[in-house]
Amino acid sequence: MAETFTDNADAGRFELDVDGKLAWADYRRRDGVLVIPHVEAEMALRGTGAADRLMRQVAGAVKAEGVRIIPTCGYAHAWLRRHEPDLIAN
């Protein structure tokens, strides 16, 4: 299984390509934070842990950038609360 994580800034989303299939997290930058309104995976990736692996990469990218996240997506909020609560902006 080959995976590639990218920040597709033109599309406003982080992408995890898994053997040609995508999981992605839409984002927009606002006032020094990253708002994540939507996380999704193609049907073939659902149930494989791809969204979890995507969010791990997103968390690493956000930490490197030194910003925090406003997760308006239920999945992103639950994932961050469980794994990286310090990244959630108040």
Side-chain angles (χ1 to χ4, degrees):
M1 172 173 50
E3 292 189 348
T4 305
F5 175 77
T6 56
D7 177 356
N8 184 343
D10 291 339
R13 68 187 196 180
F14 292 105
E15 299 174 341
L16 182 68
D17 182 309
V18 182
D19 294 330
K21 309 265 187 308
L22 285 181
W24 65 91
D26 294 329
Y27 69 81
R28 64 182 183 279
R29 296 180 185 281
R30 185 181 78 197
D31 301 324
V33 297
L34 199 68
V35 179
I36 298 181
H38 185 75
V39 174
E40 188 171 343
E42 289 185 24
M43 192 62 73
L45 293 178
R46 293 182 188 174
T48 68
D52 174 70
R53 295 191 306 277
L54 167 69
M55 288 301 297
R56 289 182 189 283
Q57 294 282 352
V58 169
V62 167
K63 285 179 187 177
E65 192 176 328
V67 298
R68 296 178 77 199
I69 298 172
I70 297 174
T72 59
C73 165
Y75 177 82
H77 188 266
W79 190 95
L80 287 163
R81 192 176 64 242
R82 191 170 35 250
H83 299 284
E84 296 283 354
D86 292 342
L87 290 180
I88 299 173
N90 294 330

